[in-house]
Amino acid sequence: MDDMSVRLKLALYLLVLFSVSIASSMLTFKLEAYSDEKLEWVIHTNNVITSTEKLLSSLKDAETGQRGFLLTHNLSYLKPYYVGKSEAKSVLERLYQLTSDNKEQQKNLDHLSGVMQLKFDELRSTIELAQNNQQTEALAIVKEDKGKAYMDDLRKDLTQFINIELLLLEKRKGDYKENRSQLVTFIKLQMVFLVFLAIATIFFMKRNLFDPLHLLLSSTKKMQQGEKLDISDIVEKNEMGNLLSAFFTMNEIVHEKTETLTYKAHHDELTGLKNRSMVNDALEYALQHAKRSHSKVAVYFIDLNKFKEINDTLGHDVGDEVLVKTSQLLTKTVRRRDNIYRLGGDEFLIIGQEITQNSGVKRLSSKLLEQFSTPIMIGTEPMDVSLSIGVAIYPDHDQQGEELIKYADIAMYKAKNDEGTTCCDFTPSMLKRESD
């Protein structure tokens, strides 16, 4: 079994489960259908007994109506006579239908039907005589006690008929109870077997799925600790092992590519600095932190002076080198908790955090200008590179990130336009001038 593939094991296991389920369902269905059939026979026999009792009651009603009419000549007594007679015939027909499968009971009904006819003839003849004012003749017929003899025969026949049905009822009840007992026993066995299958399924899944996954997780921890691990050496040589190995390799490739794409999406390819896509979130986080710590945030908008001339006269390769050197000097100058971004072209942005006084803002501005006060080496040649810096401060100038960037940009253009000015802090008057 150990040499079998996981696929074959699973196929065989599912085949067994499917076969057992089908066989179990079919057997349960047959037992339930057989049980329903037994129950229908029990109900059927009860209906026969009830109808038989109703037949006797109808005969009594007819006889009571006849006696009442003979004694009183009140026509109202004829109503129970006619109703009882009609109902008795109807019930007899129903009994013939209900016992059509029982020849013995059919013979009993034939005899019963004959006696009933004699009884009804006796009742009819006495009523007709009374209606024709022949009361003496009618009473004479009654005194002969033929009607009583007919009723005694009918009671005897009906009692025998009911006794046969009662025996059938007890037998059919016994069959039904036995069948229900078998069904309950089978269901209990099914439950035991299903529990066994559930336990077997747990062990099967543990052996072929959960254990390999657990092994993979523990191996991942070893990899995190720097230990070299070949996944093909620690899994079984089957489909699950191949799947885990392939997934492991695929996961490494996907993870590397995802990290690369994520890095490229959020970083400038030339300088390696974070790009514009991360500015708003980072600035919002910095502002929330400053709000809690009651500190300041400074936004520095930086532009390289005469960068277009460098590109046009010396070429884009030199321009790219200038941008790389600039990003390196900016990174070297700022504090570890400050963030630098390249917005595009020759524009950079710095978010200065955890500043307690405005003097701290100016200190970083001075360091930036000082860093570019001497020529920088581009290849083997020194080159003068200067910055124009605009600064906006939270909460002094505004409390919204987008507005702070806008104000820092305005201040940067002010610094660029004023000769001799390389850094400028934002003031509200710049907004008026801009609108003018």
Side-chain angles (χ1 to χ4, degrees):
M1 188 72 175
D2 290 337
D3 295 333
M4 294 173 64
S5 67
V6 173
R7 181 170 53 185
L8 182 57
K9 289 179 184 178
L10 186 58
L12 289 174
Y13 193 77
L14 290 176
L15 179 62
V16 171
L17 287 178
F18 181 76
S19 301
V20 169
S21 299
I22 293 297
S24 177
S25 299
M26 290 179 64
L27 187 55
T28 303
F29 177 78
K30 286 185 177 181
L31 286 173
E32 189 66 37
Y34 187 64
S35 177
D36 291 341
E37 182 182 348
K38 294 294 181 184
L39 180 59
E40 286 178 3
W41 276 113
V42 170
I43 296 172
H44 173 85
T45 307
N46 274 313
N47 288 336
V48 173
I49 294 172
T50 302
S51 297
T52 305
E53 293 172 346
K54 189 175 181 181
L55 175 60
L56 180 59
S57 177
S58 299
L59 290 170
K60 289 179 180 179
D61 289 344
E63 186 179 51
T64 300
Q66 177 247 12
R67 294 293 171 87
F69 177 71
L70 292 180
L71 293 174
T72 65
H73 287 276
N74 188 339
L75 293 175
S76 63
Y77 281 99
L78 292 179
K79 182 177 181 181
Y81 162 72
Y82 288 117
V83 172
K85 181 179 178 181
S86 174
E87 194 171 80
K89 290 181 178 180
S90 175
V91 172
L92 182 64
E93 283 185 27
R94 176 167 172 73
L95 285 173
Y96 268 112
Q97 293 173 358
L98 290 173
T99 59
S100 59
D101 61 317
N102 191 327
K103 291 182 179 180
E104 181 184 0
Q105 292 291 65
Q106 291 278 300
K107 289 180 181 178
N108 291 333
L109 288 175
D110 288 340
H111 181 265
L112 184 67
S113 176
V115 177
M116 270 181 58
Q117 188 58 48
L118 292 174
K119 176 63 180 175
F120 285 141
D121 288 345
E122 186 262 345
L123 294 176
R124 178 179 53 77
S125 64
T126 58
I127 290 173
E128 287 178 352
L129 288 170
Q131 286 176 333
N132 294 325
N133 297 318
Q134 296 177 322
Q135 184 72 13
T136 304
E137 290 81 353
L139 292 175
I141 294 174
V142 173
K143 288 179 181 179
E144 290 177 2
D145 285 337
K146 288 184 180 180
K148 181 178 181 301
Y150 295 148
M151 281 301 296
D152 290 341
D153 286 345
L154 286 171
R155 286 190 182 93
K156 182 180 177 181
D157 289 345
L158 289 172
T159 300
Q160 182 181 356
F161 187 87
I162 289 176
N163 287 337
I164 293 173
E165 290 298 325
L166 286 173
L167 290 174
L168 281 174
L169 179 62
E170 290 303 315
K171 181 179 181 302
R172 287 167 177 172
K173 280 183 177 179
D175 290 344
Y176 174 70
K177 290 179 180 178
E178 182 183 357
N179 179 262
R180 294 304 297 180
S181 177
Q182 291 175 352
L183 182 60
V184 170
T185 301
F186 180 72
I187 291 174
K188 289 179 179 178
L189 290 174
Q190 266 190 319
M191 292 177 65
V192 173
F193 188 67
L194 287 174
V195 170
F196 170 77
L197 282 180
I199 295 172
T201 301
I202 291 172
F203 278 105
F204 179 84
M205 298 298 289
K206 181 178 181 298
R207 175 72 177 80
N208 294 278
L209 181 61
F210 299 139
D211 284 350
L213 288 177
H214 175 73
L215 187 60
L216 180 60
L217 289 173
S218 61
S219 301
T220 303
K221 291 181 180 179
K222 292 181 180 180
M223 291 176 57
Q224 291 174 344
Q225 295 171 359
E227 298 180 23
K228 187 175 180 180
L229 186 68
D230 186 358
I231 194 68
S232 62
D233 294 335
I234 62 172
V235 296
E236 294 185 27
K237 308 299 183 186
N238 55 27
E239 289 95 333
M240 181 59 72
N242 294 334
L243 177 62
L244 291 175
S245 298
F247 181 78
F248 179 80
T249 303
M250 180 182 68
N251 180 263
E252 282 191 327
I253 296 172
V254 170
H255 184 69
E256 289 176 1
K257 288 185 176 180
T258 301
E259 283 190 334
T260 301
L261 290 173
T262 302
Y263 182 85
K264 287 183 176 181
H266 298 296
H267 290 77
D268 177 51
E269 188 174 356
L270 177 63
T271 63
L273 296 177
K274 297 174 184 177
N275 61 23
R276 182 186 293 272
S277 66
M278 301 186 70
V279 170
N280 290 332
D281 289 341
L283 183 54
E284 183 61 29
Y285 176 82
L287 294 178
Q288 292 297 328
H289 177 71
K291 195 175 295 184
R292 291 192 299 269
S293 61
H294 303 289
S295 59
K296 295 178 180 290
V297 175
V299 177
Y300 301 82
F301 204 108
I302 301 172
D303 184 84
L304 299 184
N305 294 325
K306 300 181 180 179
F307 180 74
K308 186 175 183 306
E309 294 180 13
I310 294 174
N311 264 339
D312 292 343
T313 56
L314 301 178
H316 289 284
D317 291 340
V318 174
D320 289 346
E321 184 67 20
V322 169
L323 292 173
V324 171
K325 289 288 185 179
T326 299
S327 67
Q328 291 173 352
L329 288 174
L330 293 176
T331 303
K332 179 181 177 181
T333 305
V334 301
R335 301 166 303 171
R336 183 175 297 178
R337 56 180 174 270
D338 299 331
N339 293 319
I340 310 174
Y341 304 86
R342 183 189 174 197
L343 302 182
D346 60 335
E347 292 182 339
F348 297 84
L349 188 117
I350 297 175
I351 300 176
Q353 303 182 63
E354 298 181 18
I355 301 171
T356 56
Q357 302 291 335
N358 285 356
S359 58
V361 178
K362 294 187 178 298
R363 191 178 305 117
L364 180 56
S365 301
S366 299
K367 285 183 178 180
L368 291 170
L369 294 175
E370 184 180 349
Q371 191 69 254
F372 287 85
S373 61
T374 58
I376 60 177
M377 296 300 296
I378 303 299
T380 57
E381 298 293 329
M383 179 179 293
D384 289 326
V385 176
S386 62
L387 309 177
S388 291
I389 305 174
V391 184
I393 304 171
Y394 166 89
D396 300 17
H397 300 138
D398 206 286
Q399 297 187 12
Q400 302 297 321
E402 292 182 0
E403 293 299 310
L404 289 172
I405 294 173
K406 174 185 173 183
Y407 294 162
D409 187 20
I410 292 171
M412 181 274 294
Y413 276 103
K414 177 68 170 62
K416 185 179 284 290
N417 292 331
D418 293 347
E419 274 190 46
T421 303
T422 51
C423 180
C424 186
D425 292 343
F426 172 79
T427 60
S429 60
M430 295 178 184
L431 291 175
K432 295 179 181 178
R433 189 175 302 174
E434 185 184 40
S435 63
D436 292 341

